[in-house]
Short mmCIF file of all heavy atoms in Angstrom, two decimals:
data_model
loop_
_atom_site.label_atom_id
_atom_site.label_comp_id
_atom_site.label_asym_id
_atom_site.label_seq_id
_atom_site.Cartn_x
_atom_site.Cartn_y
_atom_site.Cartn_z
N PHE A 87 6.83 -2.44 -24.53
CA PHE A 87 7.93 -1.67 -24.12
C PHE A 87 9.29 -2.27 -24.54
O PHE A 87 10.35 -1.61 -24.34
CB PHE A 87 7.87 -1.57 -22.58
CG PHE A 87 8.40 -0.28 -22.00
CD1 PHE A 87 8.05 0.93 -22.55
CD2 PHE A 87 9.19 -0.33 -20.86
CE1 PHE A 87 8.54 2.20 -22.01
CE2 PHE A 87 9.67 0.81 -20.34
CZ PHE A 87 9.39 2.12 -20.88
N HIS A 92 8.47 5.74 -24.99
CA HIS A 92 7.49 6.90 -25.30
C HIS A 92 7.48 7.88 -24.15
O HIS A 92 8.02 7.67 -23.04
CB HIS A 92 6.02 6.21 -25.44
CG HIS A 92 5.63 5.30 -24.42
ND1 HIS A 92 5.24 5.64 -23.18
CD2 HIS A 92 5.61 3.89 -24.43
CE1 HIS A 92 5.00 4.47 -22.43
NE2 HIS A 92 5.26 3.50 -23.26
N GLN A 93 6.96 9.07 -24.56
CA GLN A 93 7.05 10.17 -23.64
C GLN A 93 6.32 10.01 -22.30
O GLN A 93 6.81 10.31 -21.16
CB GLN A 93 6.42 11.45 -24.26
CG GLN A 93 7.04 12.68 -23.70
CD GLN A 93 6.31 13.86 -24.35
OE1 GLN A 93 5.22 13.91 -24.82
NE2 GLN A 93 7.09 14.99 -24.36
N PRO A 94 5.14 9.33 -22.29
CA PRO A 94 4.58 8.99 -20.93
C PRO A 94 5.51 8.29 -19.95
O PRO A 94 5.51 8.69 -18.76
CB PRO A 94 3.26 8.28 -21.27
CG PRO A 94 2.97 8.63 -22.59
CD PRO A 94 4.20 8.94 -23.46
N ALA A 95 6.19 7.34 -20.50
CA ALA A 95 7.08 6.55 -19.59
C ALA A 95 8.29 7.34 -19.23
O ALA A 95 8.65 7.45 -18.00
CB ALA A 95 7.54 5.29 -20.38
N THR A 96 8.88 8.13 -20.16
CA THR A 96 10.07 8.95 -19.78
C THR A 96 9.72 10.08 -18.80
O THR A 96 10.50 10.25 -17.86
CB THR A 96 10.79 9.40 -21.13
OG1 THR A 96 9.95 10.26 -21.94
CG2 THR A 96 11.39 8.37 -21.88
N ASN A 97 8.59 10.65 -19.05
CA ASN A 97 8.20 11.73 -18.20
C ASN A 97 7.95 11.23 -16.84
O ASN A 97 8.34 11.86 -15.77
CB ASN A 97 6.86 12.44 -18.65
CG ASN A 97 7.21 13.46 -19.76
OD1 ASN A 97 8.32 13.60 -20.23
ND2 ASN A 97 6.19 13.93 -20.39
N LEU A 98 7.25 10.03 -16.69
CA LEU A 98 6.97 9.61 -15.41
C LEU A 98 8.23 9.16 -14.62
O LEU A 98 8.43 9.44 -13.42
CB LEU A 98 5.95 8.31 -15.48
CG LEU A 98 5.62 7.60 -14.22
CD1 LEU A 98 4.92 8.65 -13.20
CD2 LEU A 98 4.75 6.48 -14.49
N ALA A 99 9.13 8.51 -15.34
CA ALA A 99 10.41 8.08 -14.77
C ALA A 99 11.16 9.23 -14.20
O ALA A 99 11.64 9.25 -13.07
CB ALA A 99 11.22 7.26 -15.65
N LYS A 100 11.25 10.28 -14.97
CA LYS A 100 11.94 11.62 -14.63
C LYS A 100 11.35 12.08 -13.30
O LYS A 100 12.05 12.46 -12.40
CB LYS A 100 11.78 12.65 -15.64
CG LYS A 100 12.84 12.80 -16.63
CD LYS A 100 12.69 14.01 -17.47
CE LYS A 100 13.31 13.72 -18.86
NZ LYS A 100 12.89 14.67 -19.93
N LYS A 101 10.03 12.11 -13.24
CA LYS A 101 9.26 12.63 -12.06
C LYS A 101 9.54 11.79 -10.88
O LYS A 101 9.87 12.33 -9.74
CB LYS A 101 7.74 12.65 -12.21
CG LYS A 101 7.31 13.93 -13.02
CD LYS A 101 5.81 14.15 -12.66
CE LYS A 101 5.27 15.18 -13.56
NZ LYS A 101 4.58 14.69 -14.77
N LEU A 102 9.67 10.54 -11.08
CA LEU A 102 9.84 9.49 -9.91
C LEU A 102 11.19 9.70 -9.34
O LEU A 102 11.35 9.73 -8.08
CB LEU A 102 9.47 8.16 -10.30
CG LEU A 102 8.02 7.81 -10.58
CD1 LEU A 102 7.89 6.41 -11.03
CD2 LEU A 102 7.13 8.06 -9.26
N VAL A 103 12.12 9.81 -10.30
CA VAL A 103 13.57 9.99 -9.91
C VAL A 103 13.72 11.35 -9.04
O VAL A 103 14.40 11.43 -8.13
CB VAL A 103 14.51 9.95 -11.10
CG1 VAL A 103 15.88 10.44 -10.81
CG2 VAL A 103 14.52 8.53 -11.75
N GLU A 104 12.98 12.28 -9.56
CA GLU A 104 13.06 13.60 -8.97
C GLU A 104 12.49 13.69 -7.60
O GLU A 104 13.11 14.26 -6.63
CB GLU A 104 12.34 14.62 -9.88
CG GLU A 104 12.63 16.09 -9.61
CD GLU A 104 11.69 16.93 -10.50
OE1 GLU A 104 11.82 16.78 -11.72
OE2 GLU A 104 10.94 17.69 -9.96
N ILE A 105 11.27 13.05 -7.33
CA ILE A 105 10.63 13.26 -6.09
C ILE A 105 10.98 12.14 -5.05
O ILE A 105 10.69 12.47 -3.89
CB ILE A 105 9.10 13.37 -6.29
CG1 ILE A 105 8.53 12.03 -6.70
CG2 ILE A 105 8.73 14.46 -7.20
CD1 ILE A 105 6.87 12.10 -6.77
N THR A 106 11.46 11.09 -5.40
CA THR A 106 11.83 10.00 -4.47
C THR A 106 13.15 10.32 -3.75
O THR A 106 13.95 11.18 -4.24
CB THR A 106 11.96 8.62 -5.06
OG1 THR A 106 12.80 8.67 -6.17
CG2 THR A 106 10.56 8.18 -5.62
N LEU A 110 17.98 7.17 -5.86
CA LEU A 110 17.02 6.19 -6.50
C LEU A 110 16.79 6.69 -7.92
O LEU A 110 15.93 7.47 -8.26
CB LEU A 110 15.78 5.97 -5.69
CG LEU A 110 15.96 5.39 -4.34
CD1 LEU A 110 14.66 5.53 -3.48
CD2 LEU A 110 16.37 3.90 -4.46
N ASP A 111 17.73 6.18 -8.83
CA ASP A 111 17.70 6.71 -10.20
C ASP A 111 17.33 5.80 -11.28
O ASP A 111 17.17 6.29 -12.50
CB ASP A 111 19.19 7.19 -10.59
CG ASP A 111 19.65 8.34 -9.63
OD1 ASP A 111 18.82 8.99 -9.06
OD2 ASP A 111 20.89 8.54 -9.44
N LYS A 112 17.10 4.59 -10.99
CA LYS A 112 16.78 3.55 -12.09
C LYS A 112 15.45 2.96 -11.71
O LYS A 112 15.04 2.56 -10.69
CB LYS A 112 17.85 2.47 -12.00
CG LYS A 112 19.26 2.99 -11.95
CD LYS A 112 19.73 3.50 -13.40
CE LYS A 112 21.14 4.05 -13.18
NZ LYS A 112 21.56 4.68 -14.48
N VAL A 113 14.62 3.09 -12.77
CA VAL A 113 13.15 2.78 -12.65
C VAL A 113 12.72 1.48 -13.45
O VAL A 113 13.04 1.35 -14.56
CB VAL A 113 12.40 4.01 -13.22
CG1 VAL A 113 10.79 3.79 -12.92
CG2 VAL A 113 12.80 5.34 -12.52
N PHE A 114 12.04 0.70 -12.82
CA PHE A 114 11.34 -0.55 -13.51
C PHE A 114 9.82 -0.39 -13.31
O PHE A 114 9.32 -0.36 -12.16
CB PHE A 114 11.86 -1.87 -12.86
CG PHE A 114 11.46 -3.05 -13.60
CD1 PHE A 114 12.35 -3.68 -14.41
CD2 PHE A 114 10.17 -3.60 -13.52
CE1 PHE A 114 12.02 -4.67 -15.26
CE2 PHE A 114 9.94 -4.64 -14.31
CZ PHE A 114 10.81 -5.22 -15.21
N PHE A 115 9.14 -0.35 -14.39
CA PHE A 115 7.64 -0.22 -14.39
C PHE A 115 7.08 -1.63 -14.36
O PHE A 115 7.44 -2.40 -15.16
CB PHE A 115 7.05 0.65 -15.41
CG PHE A 115 7.50 2.00 -15.46
CD1 PHE A 115 8.18 2.64 -16.56
CD2 PHE A 115 7.17 2.87 -14.31
CE1 PHE A 115 8.44 4.07 -16.51
CE2 PHE A 115 7.42 4.12 -14.27
CZ PHE A 115 8.04 4.77 -15.39
N ALA A 292 5.87 0.77 -9.73
CA ALA A 292 7.24 0.97 -10.14
C ALA A 292 8.17 0.47 -8.94
O ALA A 292 7.86 0.64 -7.79
CB ALA A 292 7.42 2.46 -10.35
N LEU A 294 12.00 1.28 -7.87
CA LEU A 294 13.34 2.06 -8.20
C LEU A 294 14.46 1.60 -7.43
O LEU A 294 14.33 1.09 -6.26
CB LEU A 294 13.03 3.52 -7.77
CG LEU A 294 12.16 4.40 -8.64
CD1 LEU A 294 10.72 4.11 -8.40
CD2 LEU A 294 12.42 5.89 -8.45
N CYS A 324 0.87 5.43 -17.54
CA CYS A 324 1.87 6.41 -17.36
C CYS A 324 1.38 7.89 -17.45
O CYS A 324 1.70 8.71 -16.71
CB CYS A 324 2.95 6.19 -18.33
SG CYS A 324 4.06 4.77 -17.99
N ASN A 328 1.41 10.56 -14.60
CA ASN A 328 2.01 11.81 -14.85
C ASN A 328 1.09 13.01 -14.35
O ASN A 328 1.50 13.89 -13.61
CB ASN A 328 2.42 12.07 -16.29
CG ASN A 328 3.84 11.55 -16.60
OD1 ASN A 328 4.61 11.61 -15.75
ND2 ASN A 328 3.84 10.91 -17.73
N LEU A 331 0.62 13.06 -10.61
CA LEU A 331 1.86 13.53 -9.81
C LEU A 331 1.94 15.00 -10.02
O LEU A 331 2.42 15.70 -9.13
CB LEU A 331 3.12 12.77 -10.23
CG LEU A 331 3.24 11.25 -9.92
CD1 LEU A 331 4.53 10.66 -10.13
CD2 LEU A 331 2.84 11.07 -8.47
#
Side-chain angles (χ1 to χ4, degrees):
F87 212 45
H92 44 80
Q93 206 183 25
T96 53
N97 281 358
L98 179 58
K100 264 188 212 166
K101 276 203 189 92
L102 291 176
V103 166
E104 194 185 303
I105 66 174
T106 53
L110 297 166
D111 294 340
K112 311 290 178 180
V113 185
F114 191 99
F115 291 126
L294 280 82
C324 286
N328 274 321
L331 296 188

